[in-house]
Amino acid sequence: MVGVSALYALLPLLWLLVASAVDAEALFASDFFDPSHFALFDNIGTLLAQDDGAYLRWYGNSLLYAVGGAAVGALISTAAGYVFDKFEFAGKRPLFALILISVMVPATVLALPMYLLASDLGLANTVWSVLVPVLFNPFGVYLARMFSSSYVPDEVLEAARVDGANELRSFFSVGLRMIAPGYVTIFLFQLTAIWNNFFLPLVMLSDESLYPLSLGLYSWNAAAPINPDYYPLMVIGSLLALLPLVIAFLLLQRYWRSGLTAGSVK
């Protein structure tokens, strides 16, 4: 059963790998195993040159939205979770309950209100209209609070205060370092969500030069019935779009694996 489930999950990726390596003729004929149709590098070259390098612009936009948004958003979530764990303040319980409730609200429900707000502020169809909404992650705040309670002893913070460190310095010098696995875990969750985000950029952006990969490939897909040359480009483009996520998980796996198992062994 496990093997069948793994095969079900891997088959689309295997098809993508094979289909990306053949020319358009073989792709349309599903003739993937004829060596004479191997055209991986030609496909990559055509992809990068199409529409004056639009794919590279979209790739750069996705890196900006996903890496920048995930890095800052994970820091905000980590700081918020740390505050909820280590400090007492008025309205703490209702506010945290509100954050937990917001976890259950689908992002698509908020897209239109956020667009109207961005339009009123003059931010619609700008980089900020995509970046700012992804900086707040309720689930990340919840995770950060759990990590803070498990990784940061109150005694360590008290010792930092005795040594003269203020609360901000205690967080960055002590707390943030101790919950680094939590930060990386939240970063990876948020990176994946933002990289695959489609509906928010679709609502916010009309300028193609600001499109992320998801929206850019969608625009090619819409044009493909009229111009079939876009089909091979979408296939190889989708394959290359997976690389940042794979690289991030491989480079940071020791952090997020320890983060996911936090508290399992005492």
Side-chain angles (χ1 to χ4, degrees):
M1 190 64 181
V2 175
V4 173
S5 300
L7 186 62
Y8 176 80
L10 291 175
L11 273 177
L13 179 59
L14 293 175
W15 183 90
L16 191 63
L17 286 170
V18 175
S20 299
V22 298
D23 56 24
E25 179 183 351
L27 177 64
F28 293 131
S30 296
D31 184 14
F32 297 145
F33 302 104
D34 186 347
S36 63
H37 291 294
F38 181 81
L40 175 62
F41 301 108
D42 291 337
N43 290 341
I44 294 176
T46 304
L47 173 71
L48 300 183
Q50 184 68 33
D51 295 342
D52 298 323
Y55 185 81
L56 288 177
R57 290 197 300 272
W58 298 337
Y59 215 104
N61 293 338
S62 286
L63 289 174
L64 172 63
Y65 300 145
V67 178
V72 177
L75 180 61
I76 294 174
S77 296
T78 303
Y82 172 87
V83 169
F84 274 112
D85 177 49
K86 300 304 179 186
F87 295 91
E88 293 295 334
F89 51 90
K92 174 180 174 179
R93 290 179 180 272
L95 186 57
F96 191 70
L98 182 62
I99 290 175
L100 293 180
I101 292 173
S102 63
V103 171
M104 298 180 288
V105 178
T108 52
V109 174
L110 302 175
L112 183 57
M114 285 191 293
Y115 171 77
L116 296 176
L117 182 59
S119 181
D120 289 340
L121 295 174
L123 298 178
N125 197 33
T126 67
V127 170
W128 301 110
S129 65
V130 179
L131 265 179
V132 174
V134 301
L135 297 182
F136 177 69
N137 180 8
F139 183 64
V141 175
Y142 168 77
L143 279 182
R145 182 176 184 179
M146 298 302 103
F147 278 111
S148 178
S149 64
S150 299
Y151 278 86
V152 186
D154 294 335
E155 296 79 7
V156 175
L157 295 178
E158 188 61 34
R161 296 186 185 106
V162 171
D163 289 339
N166 58 30
E167 299 299 344
L168 192 62
R169 183 176 179 183
S170 296
F171 170 68
F172 282 103
S173 299
V174 179
L176 185 59
R177 293 186 179 186
M178 298 184 75
I179 55 177
Y183 174 84
V184 173
T185 302
I186 297 169
F187 172 82
L188 287 173
F189 277 128
Q190 205 153 351
L191 176 71
T192 304
I194 300 172
W195 188 265
N196 295 323
N197 196 3
F198 171 77
F199 194 69
L200 179 65
L202 177 65
V203 172
M204 292 291 187
L205 302 176
S206 58
D207 185 353
E208 287 193 6
S209 65
L210 299 177
Y211 282 3
L213 276 176
S214 57
L215 196 54
L217 291 175
Y218 172 78
S219 68
W220 280 356
N221 181 66
I226 301 174
N227 185 0
D229 290 340
Y230 281 116
Y231 283 117
L233 299 180
M234 287 189 298
V235 174
I236 187 64
S238 298
L239 178 64
L240 296 182
L242 296 176
L243 293 181
L245 297 181
V246 173
I247 293 172
F249 272 87
L250 290 177
L251 292 179
L252 302 175
Q253 62 175 327
R254 70 186 184 94
Y255 291 102
W256 67 264
R257 289 176 63 184
S258 64
L260 292 176
T261 58
S264 62
V265 178
K266 291 290 186 181

